[in-house]
Amino acid sequence: MAEIGFRADLKLATATLAAIDAACVRHADDGLRPHLGASLIGRECERQLWYVFRWAKLPRHDARMVRLFQRGQREEDVLVGLLRAAGVQVVTIDPDTGRQYSFAACGGHFGGSMDGAATDIPDAPKTWHVLEFKTHSKKSFDELTKIGVAKAKPEHFAQMTCYMGWTGMKRALYVAVCKDDDRLHLERVDFDRDLFDRLILKAARIIEAIEPPPRYSEDPAHFVCKFCDYRDLCHGTSAPLPTCRTCSHSTPERNGTWTCARHQGRVLSVTEQKIGCQAHRIIPVMLANFAEAVDASDADNWVRYRLKDGSGEFVNGAPPDGLESAEIYAAEHKSMLANNLVQTLREQLGARVVA
């Protein structure tokens, strides 16, 4: 008798799986949203939200995470179907646009798209509710059912508060599903005007900040910091992604646009913001963990820095004397920015620092 669990003849399609994973990552969204999202505004750390809004780092998700995000999106249609089967009237599409209902504040720099709205809910048949759908792991779902969405998922609570404030609805219906066993948790949420006002002020504060807000904690091992995607930028020696939003010359305007002082105040498209240009100069404080600005020329568009480890100086400016922002971003070991050999290769051979 063959031993149970014997898998010597198992033929795994590893090449096919690798091709699927690669396709998932290749076709995923780049994660750089034009606006600060209502789905994030409830997060505790304003510095993290500033980094998100400023595109300080390119979000990296493996294929499994991409599929998880996609599963959450697909689950919305399933939950809408269940509500309608129960006699609930559900609206998910704005007839004027053919898309989800979208809202904006702070001149358009802050906003989000609502999952939908519902009425004829058996618990309150005459009241319109904002609809919010979420998927949860078993651990997350168990906590949710014990203490409720406001305490278990303050980000989700803040998101619903924004949609209630923007639509004028006084109630929201939070519909959660456990991905492990298909349990459902439905919770009615009341509108909190004071919280809504504070969230709008918080968004405006982040959007208008010229420099990163204070850290949530000075201890990188703090639980909020430990699992943050921006930990290396906030507490370590990473440099920011060289998009227009991390450049000293760009400004988020009150009408929702971004302009560039280096290009005579021209309004920048989203595509242009992502690409940046050779005139990009990193906002100096974003390098403060490893370098101190000691000199600058606005006319010639350069900033000189001294490395805090004492290994030398470098210039964020035009090549070959200066380092492009992309080179500073690419340098894993920042001491190489002041390395004489590296500079010689750049000057004599046109070499560049790359990742």
Side-chain angles (χ1 to χ4, degrees):
M1 178 185 290
E3 182 181 350
I4 296 176
F6 181 69
R7 300 174 55 178
D9 61 344
L10 194 66
K11 295 181 177 63
L12 297 178
T14 53
T16 304
L17 176 57
I20 290 173
D21 285 350
C24 287
V25 173
R26 185 169 61 251
H27 295 296
D29 185 271
D30 63 16
L32 301 179
R33 292 185 179 184
H35 61 273
L36 179 61
S39 61
L40 306 179
I41 197 62
R43 292 187 179 181
E44 297 176 279
C45 181
E46 293 192 13
R47 190 182 182 100
Q48 183 199 61
L49 293 176
W50 189 87
Y51 285 142
V52 171
F53 178 64
R54 289 280 177 161
W55 296 348
K57 183 177 181 178
L58 189 64
R60 299 287 187 186
H61 300 296
D62 61 21
R64 184 185 69 86
M65 288 303 301
V66 171
R67 289 194 291 270
L68 277 175
F69 294 147
Q70 293 172 340
R71 178 180 177 180
Q73 294 168 353
R74 293 194 303 271
E75 199 73 35
E76 292 180 14
D77 291 335
V78 174
L79 297 175
V80 167
L82 291 176
L83 287 172
R84 286 175 173 161
V88 177
Q89 181 183 337
V90 177
V91 179
T92 60
I93 301 298
D94 182 348
D96 294 331
T97 64
R99 298 187 295 271
Q100 286 182 303
Y101 286 91
S102 297
F103 306 93
C106 303
H109 289 298
F110 174 54
S113 298
M114 184 174 69
D115 287 344
T119 188
D120 294 333
I121 294 171
D123 298 281
K126 296 181 180 181
T127 304
W128 276 95
H129 290 63
V130 165
L131 277 178
E132 186 60 42
F133 302 118
K134 298 294 183 185
T135 60
H136 291 256
S137 66
K138 183 180 184 301
K139 179 180 178 181
S140 175
F141 190 88
D142 289 343
E143 182 182 29
L144 172 69
T145 59
K146 289 180 181 179
I147 62 177
V149 64
K151 293 182 178 179
K153 293 294 178 181
E155 289 180 40
H156 300 173
F157 189 82
Q159 185 178 7
M160 289 185 287
T161 298
C162 287
Y163 294 140
M164 284 187 278
W166 286 327
T167 62
M169 297 185 214
K170 303 300 181 184
R171 300 288 185 274
L173 182 66
Y174 185 73
V175 184
V177 59
C178 178
K179 292 178 288 188
D180 295 73
D181 54 26
D182 252 15
R183 284 178 293 160
L184 295 176
H185 173 83
L186 277 71
E187 184 177 340
R188 294 177 66 224
V189 173
D190 295 330
F191 178 55
D192 184 334
R193 165 60 66 176
D194 180 63
L195 175 59
F196 174 70
D197 291 341
R198 285 188 280 115
L199 291 171
I200 296 297
L201 289 174
K202 178 181 180 181
R205 186 166 59 246
I206 293 164
I207 290 162
E208 295 170 4
I210 300 173
E211 298 182 348
R215 295 183 180 91
Y216 186 86
S217 172
E218 292 300 318
D219 180 6
H222 187 283
F223 74 95
V224 171
C225 304
K226 186 175 181 180
F227 301 103
C228 177
D229 290 337
Y230 298 85
R231 183 173 182 268
D232 289 344
L233 186 63
C234 185
H235 291 280
T237 59
S238 292
L241 187 71
T243 67
C244 288
R245 297 196 179 190
T246 60
C247 179
S248 298
H249 304 310
S250 67
T251 302
E253 303 291 350
R254 291 179 178 268
N255 63 359
T257 64
W258 283 78
T259 59
C260 177
R262 198 70 191 176
H263 292 92
Q264 293 73 50
R266 184 168 63 83
V267 173
L268 302 166
S269 69
V270 172
T271 299
E272 288 175 318
Q273 293 172 43
K274 291 181 180 182
I275 296 173
C277 74
Q278 289 187 335
H280 185 287
R281 299 297 173 259
I282 298 170
I283 299 171
V285 73
M286 299 187 79
L287 304 182
N289 285 353
F290 64 88
E292 176 187 10
V294 294
D295 196 6
S297 171
D298 183 59
D300 295 325
N301 194 29
W302 56 261
V303 181
R304 181 179 297 280
Y305 292 89
R306 179 179 298 123
L307 289 169
K308 291 186 174 181
D309 65 4
S311 59
E313 297 182 352
F314 67 92
V315 173
N316 182 195
D321 297 330
L323 291 155
E324 294 178 336
S325 297
E327 294 182 274
I328 299 172
Y329 170 73
E332 182 178 355
H333 302 290
K334 296 301 185 262
S335 59
M336 71 182 298
L337 299 174
N339 184 280
N340 291 331
L341 176 59
V342 171
Q343 186 59 25
T344 298
L345 292 173
R346 293 179 72 259
E347 293 175 356
Q348 296 183 1
L349 302 179
R352 293 292 178 269
V353 179
V354 297

